[in-house]
Amino acid sequence: MPALINESIRLQVLLERVKAGEDQKVDEFLRSVDRDLRERLTRADVSPGQRSRIEALLREVRSSLSVLYDRQSSAYLGRLEELGQLVADTEGKSVAAALEGVRVETPSPEVLRVAVNSTPLSVRGAGGGMLLDSFVSKWGEADVGRIEGVIRRGYFEGRTTDQIVRDLRGTKAANYADGELAVSRRHARTVVHTSVQHMASVARMETMKANSDILEGYRWVSTLDGKTSEICQSLDGRVFQFGEGPVPPAHPNCRSTIVPVTKSFRSLGLDVDEMPPSTRASEDGQVSGSLTYFQWLKTQPADFVDEALGPTRAAVFLRGGISADEFAALQLGKNFQPLTIEQMRQAAPKVFAQAGV
């Protein structure tokens, strides 16, 4: 439904702004970690070879950082809970506006809280299957372990306190992007972007389930640009019944979303014609809302296709004699797992032969 797709895209833009705001909070937090580490290392005045003093320092660092990271995680999870309720309320209002005159339910905060705490992340790979609380807290545990390792290794290798601080902070010449805390920043942003998307999907799904009498399922909507992942490219536009399909995030930093699919107006007792397709945003402007990722990609220059898919897949896509929908079906195997090129070749040898790859 056009109105729902447009509202979903607007909500996703809001979520991207939320992620950017959380990125800033991560930067502020890591600056406080930096200050804490510098103060403790300088005050300890430990030299290489002083094993007992080094281990005592490490215990102090671990204790201090654990408190800092626990506070950060707790505050972040609280903000996520508020965000989830906002998304659920917004989703409910969008459905109500699209189906004027039809009663729409919104899940209560308690229902949403239970759903969030019991729904595992759907990402493939690292973090997949974890619950939200563990996914967020593991970031802090991993960071503390890496920082502790840098300090221990530094003293073991005979480095001075100033050198170890530089290993942690990075160098000014590299804009501090070459230190261990820069790795922490990248990991933290991945956790933030992935968990925000997870919370939004859970909130949306719970709202949809609460209105299953007027909704027949949900549609996967991916971003139409060259950075979209293989799995999101192939899932774009697919419609699933509740409980029978994947939900975002499909991978770390996933930007895909889901949109409710309403039952027909007349099946809901509304004597009006169905709405025509709307438009959706793409990298090169507005396109038809019914266009899937691969249908859109068919309109792009060959060099862009090559960049988005890689040379072998691009050759199959452009010269294999198959439609955009057929190519999408060829990309994924059971449980929506992306296929390797060899698995695709085994599934469609004639297509690969025609493409000359």
Side-chain angles (χ1 to χ4, degrees):
M1 176 169 284
L4 291 177
I5 292 177
N6 291 337
E7 285 301 318
S8 175
I9 292 172
R10 277 194 282 269
L11 182 54
Q12 187 58 39
V13 171
L14 171 63
L15 291 177
E16 294 303 319
R17 291 175 181 168
V18 170
K19 294 174 186 177
E22 290 296 336
D23 286 345
Q24 292 179 350
K25 289 183 174 66
V26 164
D27 290 344
E28 293 170 5
F29 168 70
L30 289 177
R31 281 194 289 270
S32 71
V33 170
D34 177 26
R35 287 192 298 271
D36 184 87
L37 286 169
R38 277 185 290 151
E39 289 172 4
R40 292 183 186 280
L41 291 175
T42 302
R43 185 173 62 247
D45 192 26
V46 175
S47 300
Q50 297 176 317
R51 188 175 299 276
S52 61
R53 292 187 63 183
I54 291 170
E55 290 304 321
L57 171 62
L58 289 171
R59 286 193 295 272
E60 180 184 336
V61 167
R62 172 171 283 278
S63 177
S64 175
L65 291 186
S66 294
V67 170
L68 289 175
Y69 275 90
D70 285 348
R71 288 175 182 168
Q72 174 75 3
S73 296
S74 179
Y76 174 62
L77 287 170
R79 293 194 297 273
L80 270 187
E81 187 173 317
E82 294 177 2
L83 175 65
Q85 195 60 54
L86 172 63
V87 171
D89 292 342
T90 302
E91 191 75 20
K93 291 176 182 177
S94 297
V95 175
L99 299 174
E100 189 174 351
V102 175
R103 180 180 175 82
V104 175
E105 302 290 340
T106 302
S108 68
E110 181 57 32
V111 168
L112 193 55
R113 188 175 302 112
V114 170
V116 167
N117 290 331
S118 60
T119 303
L121 272 78
S122 55
V123 297
R124 269 63 174 173
M130 293 179 68
L131 296 179
L132 180 62
D133 184 75
S134 296
F135 182 68
V136 172
S137 63
K138 288 291 183 184
W139 158 62
E141 293 173 13
D143 262 16
V144 173
R146 284 201 319 275
I147 290 170
E148 186 179 9
V150 169
I151 296 172
R152 178 180 282 111
R153 185 176 64 248
Y155 282 122
F156 178 78
E157 293 174 351
R159 297 176 72 75
T160 65
T161 296
D162 286 345
Q163 289 173 324
I164 292 172
V165 168
R166 195 157 54 244
D167 292 340
L168 292 167
R169 300 188 73 204
T171 59
K172 186 175 181 180
N175 199 25
Y176 301 103
D178 53 344
E180 192 61 39
L181 290 179
V183 177
S184 297
R185 183 172 291 104
R186 291 193 293 272
H187 287 183
R189 289 184 173 184
T190 294
V191 168
V192 163
H193 291 208
T194 306
S195 55
V196 165
Q197 209 68 9
H198 171 73
M199 171 61 81
S201 289
V202 172
R204 280 175 151 157
M205 186 58 70
E206 288 304 307
T207 306
M208 293 181 203
K209 289 178 181 177
N211 297 282
S212 58
D213 57 328
I214 60 176
L215 302 175
E216 64 178 17
Y218 64 95
R219 185 188 310 277
W220 185 289
V221 178
S222 301
T223 304
L224 300 183
D225 64 23
K227 296 182 291 185
T228 301
S229 67
E230 289 178 14
I231 186 170
C232 292
Q233 290 172 354
S234 301
L235 288 173
D236 184 48
R238 292 200 187 187
V239 175
F240 301 98
Q241 300 297 309
F242 299 122
E244 296 182 7
V247 293
H251 54 83
N253 295 310
C254 182
R255 297 172 296 158
S256 295
T257 186
I258 52 176
V259 179
V261 176
T262 63
K263 295 181 179 179
S264 68
F265 283 163
R266 287 187 169 79
S267 70
L268 296 174
L270 302 175
D271 188 21
V272 293
D273 294 331
E274 300 298 323
M275 296 287 287
S278 64
T279 62
R280 59 184 293 197
S282 74
E283 190 173 78
D284 50 1
Q286 294 295 116
V287 297
S288 170
S290 63
L291 209 64
T292 66
Y293 186 90
F294 288 123
Q295 289 170 346
W296 168 75
L297 198 59
K298 284 285 189 182
T299 69
Q300 300 302 304
D303 59 343
F304 182 90
V305 176
D306 191 79
E307 182 179 347
L309 300 181
T312 302
R313 282 187 170 85
V316 172
F317 181 73
L318 295 171
R319 304 195 299 271
I322 58 176
S323 68
D325 291 344
E326 289 170 334
F327 184 81
L330 184 60
Q331 289 278 290
L332 300 180
K334 294 181 179 179
N335 300 320
F336 310 104
Q337 189 70 24
L339 298 181
T340 65
I341 290 177
E342 285 309 309
Q343 288 171 328
M344 291 172 61
R345 190 191 307 276
Q346 292 174 13
K350 292 182 179 179
V351 172
F352 274 74
Q354 182 168 331
V357 291

